[in-house]
């Protein structure tokens, strides 16, 4: 049952977005998020919607995959929307007892909702078109400058990629331990939330022990293959910019300028 | 000088209490002398806790000698400067196939070793191709290791070591977690590397059958090397092997029992073919 979980959410397709260098996509997403919080008028919304629609079409990923991420934040959206709607002071347009809807509240609520929804869709496009490995590689390379500030960039990237490799193994192991404990009469289903949490102990303890053992084995195997940190390491698949990546940078830059112009002029 | 030369090698494990005081010393490897020539296929046999894995980890400098000396390809293993060199000379394959594969794509895992030692990108691709082909896993280069069988994963691990172009591969019970098919796959691959590429192989195992094809065998018990010789010499001495809690291959055992009950057979029969011929010879005379 646990085996059905899909890892990451990469959607394989043959689109220009899939082929882009992960660093470009990371940079683009960053600019997109900044733009989202820059605009505060209808023209800004329209402009970003236009850009978003273009990127969605380019990615060749079905739109339904992108709005999947929305399901997990729907409660947050409603709560934040309601608070903004009723609790913003300003010009009153309707009232229900002690609750008042104001013009400013309406504006804040809708702006915030649009921002959150666009944020989820935009970041989903990045994770849907980039494999977890590319993403790690891209992060390592883009953040390389932080090494000077003693941030262990290579080590963090290595940990991320090892975690990605071991998630399916640990899931399988969880499944095995669960079945073994159920065969001995453990009960993972009944009871209230606290009882359920307590029933997880016989699952988690062996899982942790085994994870530590695996980590020790893996560390030895890495050392045996001359792993010695990031220094002096070469890459089998180094990231290299090609002309389409340069063009994409230019496009992102132009789009960002338009956003700023729209913000200043209108 | 031999390729691997161990003299009076001792390794002690210390058990400490919370205050870091030593409460117990376990001598896992006790005064071992061992010489291995380049190009040989060596097996180290032993029961659980015989010290064979501890010894193997010295050859890759995952452990260093508590006393005594160890030279690998002329380099002193006790000298920290040589660590990376020796690890490159003597690669190591471990028991659990899942816990030694680092990347989530087969070819990237094979590239991990060459990446660590700074091989240029073009050459990494060549080495990956060569080593994956050598173990017959080239067709799986883009697969995820999670979807491979145990034997296949172990062959990928061997390719990962091969890609560093070592002179020697140490395999620490590489078949202990595999089914019979997987065991055969892995052993065939290892024998082929030894014959075709001249790689020195040191196979640590407790399966008697795996020892038959090797050039020289060391038998370990309680940290000591208790027997050494060719497989035929070792298996001729069934009594001593049993003293060290080891069994002999089924065919050897059968020949031994036959001989004990009066059939006139030579010592140290290792394969079914040999037994058949010996019996036929008896029949004709």
């Amino acid at each position: 049952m646990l085996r059905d979980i899909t890892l990451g959410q990469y959607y394989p397709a043959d689109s220009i977005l899939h082929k882009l260098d992960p660093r470009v996509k990371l940079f683009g997403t960053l600019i997109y998020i900044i733009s989202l919080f820059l605009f505060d008028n209808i023209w800004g919304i329209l402009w970003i919607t236009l850009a978003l629609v273009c990127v969605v079409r380019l990615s060749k990923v079905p739109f339904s995959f992108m709005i999947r991420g929305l399901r997990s934040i729907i409660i947050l959206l409603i709560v934040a929307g309601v608070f903004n709607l009723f609790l913003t002071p300003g010009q009153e347009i309707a009232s229900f007892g002690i609750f008042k809807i104001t013009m400013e509240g309406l504006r804040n609520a809708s702006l915030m909702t649009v921002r959150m929804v666009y944020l989820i869709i935009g970041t989903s496009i990045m994770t849907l078109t980039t494999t977890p490995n590319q993403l790690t590689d891209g992060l390592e390379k883009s953040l390389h400058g932080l090494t000077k500030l003693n941030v262990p960039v290579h080590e963090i990237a290595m940990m991320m990629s090892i975690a990605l490799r071991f998630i399916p193994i640990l899931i399988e192991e969880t499944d095995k331990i669960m079945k073994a404990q159920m065969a001995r009469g453990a009960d993972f289903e009944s009871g209230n939330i606290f009882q359920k949490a307590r029933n997880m102990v016989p699952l988690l303890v062996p899982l942790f022990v085994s994870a530590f053992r695996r980590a020790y084995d893996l560390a030895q195997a890495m050392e045996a293959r001359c792993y010695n940190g990031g220094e002096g390491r070469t890459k089998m698949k180094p990231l290299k910019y090609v002309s389409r990546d340069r063009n994409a940078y230019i496009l992102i830059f132009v789009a960002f300028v338009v956003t700023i112009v729209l913000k200043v002029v209108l | 000088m031999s390729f691997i030369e161990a003299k009076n090698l001792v390794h002690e494990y210390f058990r400490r209490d919370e205050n870091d005081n030593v409460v117990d010393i376990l001598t896992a490897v006790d005064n071992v002398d061992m010489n291995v020539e380049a190009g040989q296929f060596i097996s180290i046999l032993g029961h659980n806790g015989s010290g064979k894995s501890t010894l193997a980890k010295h050859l890759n400098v995952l452990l260093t000698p508590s006393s005594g000396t160890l030279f690998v390809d002329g380099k002193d293993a006790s000298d920290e400067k040589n660590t990376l060199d020796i690890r490159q000379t003597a690669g190591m394959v471990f028991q659990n196939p899942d816990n030694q594969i680092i990347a989530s794509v087969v070819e990237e895992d094979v590239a991990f070793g060459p990446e660590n030692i700074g091989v240029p990108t073009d050459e990494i691709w060549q080495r990956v191709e060569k080593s994956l082909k050598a173990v017959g896993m080239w067709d799986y280069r883009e697969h995820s290791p999670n979807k491979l069988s145990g034997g296949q994963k172990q062959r990928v691990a061997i390719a990962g070591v091969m890609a560093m172009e070592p002179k020697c591969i140490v395999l620490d019970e590489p078949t202990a977690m595999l089914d019979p098919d997987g065991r055969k796959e892995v052993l065939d691959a290892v024998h082929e590397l030894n014959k075709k590429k001249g790689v020195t192989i040191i196979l640590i195992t407790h399966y008697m059958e795996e020892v038959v094809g090797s050039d020289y065998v060391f038998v370990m018990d309680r940290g000591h090397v208790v027997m050494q010789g060719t497989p035929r010499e070792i298996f001729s001495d069934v009594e001593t092997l049993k003293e060290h809690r080891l069994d002999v291959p089924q065919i050897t055992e059968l020949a031994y029992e036959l001989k004990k009950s009066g059939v006139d057979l030579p010592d140290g029969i290792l394969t079914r073919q040999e037994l058949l011929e010996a019996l036929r010879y008896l029949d004709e005379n």
Side-chain angles (χ1 to χ4, degrees):
Chain A
M1 111 201 93
L2 281 165
R3 248 169 251 202
D4 303 329
I5 298 174
T6 48
L7 234 192
Q9 36 172 3
Y10 181 66
Y11 181 91
D14 182 33
S15 80
I16 183 135
L17 275 189
H18 285 76
K19 287 190 203 121
L20 271 186
D21 191 289
R23 283 169 291 176
V24 180
K25 286 186 261 188
L26 280 167
F27 179 73
T29 311
L30 185 71
I31 292 297
Y32 171 78
I33 293 171
I34 294 174
S35 314
L36 270 184
F37 289 93
L38 265 184
F39 77 76
D40 49 7
N41 57 34
I42 187 76
W43 298 107
I45 295 182
L46 283 179
W47 164 239
I48 284 193
T49 311
L50 180 75
L52 195 60
V53 168
C54 290
V55 174
V56 168
R57 293 300 299 271
L58 270 179
S59 73
K60 295 190 186 162
V61 179
F63 190 62
S64 60
F65 276 83
M66 293 170 195
I67 48 176
R68 267 187 196 177
L70 288 178
R71 265 185 306 195
S72 51
I73 61 150
I74 205 131
I75 301 216
L76 182 73
L77 262 183
I78 292 171
V79 172
V82 166
F83 270 87
N84 263 309
L85 195 58
F86 289 110
L87 298 178
T88 316
Q91 189 192 352
E92 194 177 309
I93 45 175
S95 66
F96 309 95
I98 55 164
F99 297 110
K100 296 190 272 286
I101 297 180
T102 61
M103 198 59 199
E104 285 77 7
L106 194 62
R107 208 178 111 89
N108 277 356
S110 43
L111 204 59
M112 195 219 53
T113 311
V114 170
R115 272 177 185 159
M116 297 275 264
V117 170
Y118 279 21
L119 188 72
I120 296 289
I121 295 178
T123 46
S124 297
I125 293 175
M126 184 183 71
T127 50
L128 282 164
T129 59
T130 321
T131 63
N133 276 331
Q134 281 179 319
L135 211 57
T136 331
D137 263 8
L139 273 174
E140 182 180 355
K141 202 93 188 246
S142 328
L143 301 180
H144 189 74
L146 292 180
T147 324
K148 289 198 185 75
L149 302 172
N150 285 331
V151 180
V153 176
H154 166 78
E155 282 75 9
I156 292 171
M158 182 57 85
M159 281 194 265
M160 273 169 67
S161 60
I162 288 174
L164 284 170
R165 147 117 181 88
F166 274 88
I167 286 170
I169 293 176
L170 290 178
I171 286 177
E172 206 173 298
E173 186 136 310
T174 315
D175 219 21
K176 234 185 255 170
I177 298 171
M178 221 168 171
K179 279 183 187 136
Q181 301 289 38
M182 268 149 84
R184 293 183 220 166
D187 180 9
F188 294 112
E189 251 103 68
S190 57
N192 62 32
I193 191 154
F194 295 108
Q195 281 162 334
K196 267 189 189 163
R198 210 173 46 209
N199 290 343
M200 285 305 216
V201 173
L203 176 67
L204 292 178
V205 172
L207 189 65
F208 267 85
V209 171
S210 133
F212 278 113
R213 194 171 298 140
R214 279 180 195 282
Y216 178 73
D217 278 3
L218 188 77
Q220 273 204 331
M222 288 171 74
E223 260 189 63
R225 280 160 81 182
C226 293
Y227 180 69
N228 205 10
E231 225 154 292
R233 250 182 136 244
T234 44
K235 285 257 175 197
M236 183 197 200
K237 298 171 179 169
L239 291 175
K240 258 198 212 104
Y241 286 127
V242 291
S243 61
R244 73 166 156 262
D245 298 316
R246 252 164 253 134
N247 297 342
Y249 269 128
I250 296 171
L251 260 172
I252 292 168
F253 182 71
V254 170
F256 191 52
V257 170
V258 173
T259 315
I260 292 174
V261 168
L262 281 176
K263 156 106 183 150
V264 174
V265 174
L266 298 168
Chain B
M1 194 179 218
S2 307
F3 181 66
I4 291 172
E5 211 171 281
K7 258 213 168 65
N8 305 327
L9 186 70
V10 176
H11 190 86
E12 289 164 334
Y13 287 114
F14 297 99
R15 243 203 12 239
R16 292 165 199 274
D17 60 12
E18 299 95 71
N19 304 322
D20 236 24
N21 301 316
V22 177
V23 283
D24 198 9
I25 300 177
L26 179 84
T27 312
V29 174
D30 195 357
N31 248 319
V32 166
D33 292 318
M34 190 176 272
N35 285 311
V36 174
E37 301 301 329
Q40 281 190 316
F41 193 117
I42 303 294
S43 296
I44 301 179
L45 258 179
H47 213 263
N48 288 340
S50 62
K52 57 188 195 304
S53 285
T54 308
L55 180 64
K57 281 178 187 155
H58 281 80
L59 303 178
N60 194 264
V61 213
L62 287 171
L63 296 173
T64 48
S66 305
S67 76
T69 55
L70 171 69
F71 284 86
V72 179
D73 202 16
K75 293 182 197 91
D76 187 356
S78 310
D79 189 348
E80 234 175 82
K81 275 181 291 186
N82 291 330
T83 304
L84 282 183
D85 274 346
I86 294 178
R87 285 190 183 149
Q88 219 171 307
T89 313
M92 185 140 180
V93 175
F94 297 85
Q95 185 178 45
N96 188 329
D98 274 324
N99 295 357
Q100 55 183 319
I101 293 182
I102 290 115
S104 32
V105 184
V106 167
E107 58 182 9
E108 283 176 19
D109 184 70
V110 177
F112 181 75
E115 283 180 341
N116 287 337
I117 52 179
V119 176
T121 301
D122 300 336
E123 202 190 325
I124 293 181
W125 283 91
Q126 288 165 15
R127 285 188 183 198
V128 167
E129 180 173 347
K130 220 165 57 188
S131 15
L132 277 175
K133 279 182 174 161
V135 296
M137 289 297 292
W138 177 241
D139 292 339
Y140 295 89
R141 61 187 177 277
E142 284 174 0
H143 284 230
S144 150
N146 295 329
K147 302 218 168 93
L148 302 179
S149 73
Q152 288 173 326
K153 278 183 217 170
Q154 214 53 317
R155 274 149 70 201
V156 170
I158 295 172
V161 172
M162 278 300 290
M164 296 170 71
E165 302 189 335
K167 292 185 185 156
C168 167
I169 301 183
V170 183
L171 300 107
D172 187 4
E173 302 199 43
T175 59
M177 297 179 80
L178 307 182
D179 57 14
D181 284 347
R183 274 166 62 183
K184 192 175 173 322
E185 256 173 57
V186 170
L187 279 179
D188 286 351
V190 172
H191 274 286
E192 202 167 299
L193 290 179
N194 178 246
K195 285 201 190 81
K196 289 202 176 145
K197 315 246 163 180
V199 182
T200 311
I201 302 286
I202 295 176
L203 176 70
I204 318 270
T205 183
H206 60 255
Y207 290 115
M208 299 300 128
E209 282 79 4
E210 296 182 354
V211 172
V212 172
S214 43
D215 297 322
Y216 205 77
V217 184
F218 293 91
V219 180
M220 289 189 72
D221 196 16
R222 297 190 179 91
H224 300 279
V225 172
V226 287
M227 296 169 84
Q228 51 178 303
T230 61
R232 198 173 303 278
E233 286 163 13
I234 298 289
F235 290 132
S236 306
D237 197 356
V238 178
E239 294 293 322
T240 319
L241 274 175
K242 291 205 163 157
E243 266 172 43
H244 297 299
R245 297 172 292 161
L246 287 164
D247 291 321
V248 290
Q250 262 182 2
I251 289 292
T252 313
E253 171 112 53
L254 178 63
Y256 172 74
E257 291 295 334
L258 280 173
K259 193 179 172 187
K260 247 191 3 192
S261 45
V263 185
D264 185 22
L265 288 169
D267 272 333
I269 285 180
L270 298 177
T271 62
R272 197 180 296 212
Q273 192 65 31
E274 282 173 23
L275 181 60
L276 211 67
E277 269 161 29
L279 287 172
R280 207 172 276 153
Y281 180 77
L282 274 183
D283 197 36
E284 281 164 9
N285 292 286

